[in-house]
Amino acid sequence: MMDQLYFAAEVMVNGLMTGVMYALVALGFVLIFKASGVFNFAQGVMALFAAMTLVGIQQGQIPFAHLINAVFGTHLHNFGWTVPSLLAILLTACVMVLLAFLIEKLVLQHLVGQEPIILFMATIGLAYFLEGFGDVMWGAEIKALDVGLPQGISDTVDELTLNWLGYGFFIDRLDIWATVIAALLVTALVLFAQYTKQGRAMRAVADDHQAALSVGISLRFIWVMVWSIAGFVALVAGIMWGTKSGVQFSLSLIALKALPVLMLGGFTSIPGAIVGGLIIGVGEKLFEFFAGPLIGGATETWFAYVLALIFLVFRPQGLFGERIIERV
């Protein structure tokens, strides 16, 4: 019985670390939703594009090499050098900022004042464009991502828990680093949104585009800023998930995991994204541990969505979301 309890505690710890990563992905959605009032369907693909760009820069790969070779019959692949991980991350962050400028200039600027559904459809188109553009630019094959983060079971955690509890916890060092980095980034984003002038301007833009413009808030600056932050969040998420499972199409599906997190926490709440991520992370791990063997396993693929559906029935705005009242 005690062994099962210790194992459940280990599962809960792993769930908390997974939940922090879910919260990080969800924050990218919340920030853009607060600034534009639209759900950014492209957030998951942005993580995939950022990870593909990082690997390409690291390996010194020639952009569009496959297309150039097909058109001109050449055999180009690499520049012949590799780029250090830290420099590659900085260059990729610059690419994501440039992407934010292009999105604002070519897409958002033409949609000021439009209905949210129009903006949502624009992000769907953006998602499929980025996915195809990334494949053409860097190739569609599965790529290994390594930025120097330690991996493997943490002997330190195993020894500490063995000494304290008499039972060793098998925790991956990559999960520990990912949790720490994600927690720091989440904290920084919360402080930015709540206590800075730009954060208040972001909330004003979310309430009413035209009213924000009338009081001197630069809609263009806010959108570029928010999409740049969302791009950086996507880069961090892409690094963590890409290091763990490789850079491949399934990486873009992490956006789907953020959906139930947002439904629980509320689409407009940064604290809600954090709490929702932790609830989903711990809940799906514990449910798989206790109920999985009884019903055949694989519950992690659907548990979060069932929980989110229950919340939608009884509390549609989520735990921290704002109740919207319309008078007709």
Side-chain angles (χ1 to χ4, degrees):
M1 181 63 181
M2 289 300 298
D3 286 344
Q4 189 174 22
L5 291 176
Y6 285 134
F7 193 28
E10 180 182 335
V11 170
M12 181 180 295
V13 171
N14 278 282
L16 285 171
M17 293 191 294
T18 302
V20 173
M21 290 300 299
Y22 289 164
L24 176 62
V25 176
L27 273 178
F29 290 96
V30 171
L31 288 172
I32 291 181
F33 191 86
K34 288 174 75 68
S36 61
V38 66
F39 177 80
N40 177 27
F41 190 81
Q43 185 67 29
V45 180
M46 287 172 63
L48 172 63
F49 181 79
M52 294 173 70
T53 302
L54 176 57
V55 174
I57 293 175
Q58 272 187 311
Q59 298 177 353
Q61 183 178 342
I62 299 175
F64 305 105
H66 296 281
L67 180 61
I68 294 172
N69 293 337
V71 173
F72 298 102
T74 56
H75 298 282
L76 303 173
H77 295 287
N78 297 85
F79 288 111
W81 65 70
T82 57
V83 178
S85 296
L86 181 58
L87 179 58
I89 292 173
L90 293 176
L91 292 174
T92 305
C94 292
V95 171
M96 299 308 291
V97 173
L98 176 61
L99 178 64
F101 274 101
L102 292 175
I103 290 173
E104 191 282 330
K105 182 68 175 179
L106 301 177
V107 181
L108 299 179
Q109 184 177 338
H110 304 285
L111 298 176
V112 176
Q114 296 293 325
E115 295 293 328
I117 186 62
I118 302 299
L119 290 168
F120 174 64
M121 295 301 293
T123 66
I124 293 179
L126 179 63
Y128 285 104
F129 170 79
L130 279 179
E131 184 181 328
F133 185 75
D135 287 344
V136 173
M137 189 174 184
W138 302 112
E141 67 276 4
I142 298 175
K143 302 173 179 63
L145 176 58
D146 183 9
V147 294
L149 293 176
Q151 300 185 53
I153 300 299
S154 173
D155 294 331
T156 302
V157 174
D158 185 29
E159 292 176 3
L160 287 176
T161 53
L162 185 62
N163 293 332
W164 291 350
L165 303 175
Y167 182 91
F169 282 15
F170 294 96
I171 307 295
D172 196 312
R173 287 182 293 173
L174 177 61
D175 290 336
I176 297 174
W177 275 91
T179 301
V180 172
I181 293 172
L184 291 174
L185 184 55
V186 166
T187 302
L189 290 173
V190 170
L191 295 176
F192 169 80
Q194 297 296 330
Y195 300 106
T196 65
K197 180 180 178 180
Q198 290 77 13
R200 291 190 293 270
M202 180 178 67
R203 295 196 297 271
V205 170
D207 289 337
D208 192 314
H209 294 171
Q210 299 296 342
L213 285 171
S214 67
V215 297
I217 296 176
S218 172
L219 191 62
R220 181 177 185 181
F221 170 76
I222 293 298
W223 274 354
V224 169
M225 177 191 71
V226 170
W227 278 83
S228 297
I229 294 173
F232 183 72
V233 170
L235 171 59
V236 175
I239 290 174
M240 301 310 170
W241 292 100
T243 301
K244 194 169 186 177
S245 57
V247 179
Q248 52 187 314
F249 170 76
S250 61
L251 184 61
S252 65
L253 301 180
I254 61 174
L256 298 180
K257 274 294 187 180
L259 282 174
V261 173
L262 295 169
M263 292 175 188
L264 262 68
F267 280 82
T268 60
S269 173
I270 291 178
I274 300 171
V275 175
L278 296 177
I279 291 175
I280 292 296
V282 173
E284 68 179 14
K285 297 293 184 184
L286 288 180
F287 190 82
E288 173 68 25
F289 175 69
F290 288 109
L294 302 177
I295 57 179
T299 63
E300 290 186 38
T301 58
W302 54 262
F303 170 80
Y305 300 96
V306 173
L307 184 60
L309 179 61
I310 295 173
F311 265 79
L312 285 176
V313 171
F314 295 101
R315 190 176 174 84
Q317 72 271 28
L319 290 173
F320 297 88
E322 299 173 358
R323 182 184 295 273
I324 299 175
I325 301 175
E326 295 183 356
R327 292 179 173 85
V328 295

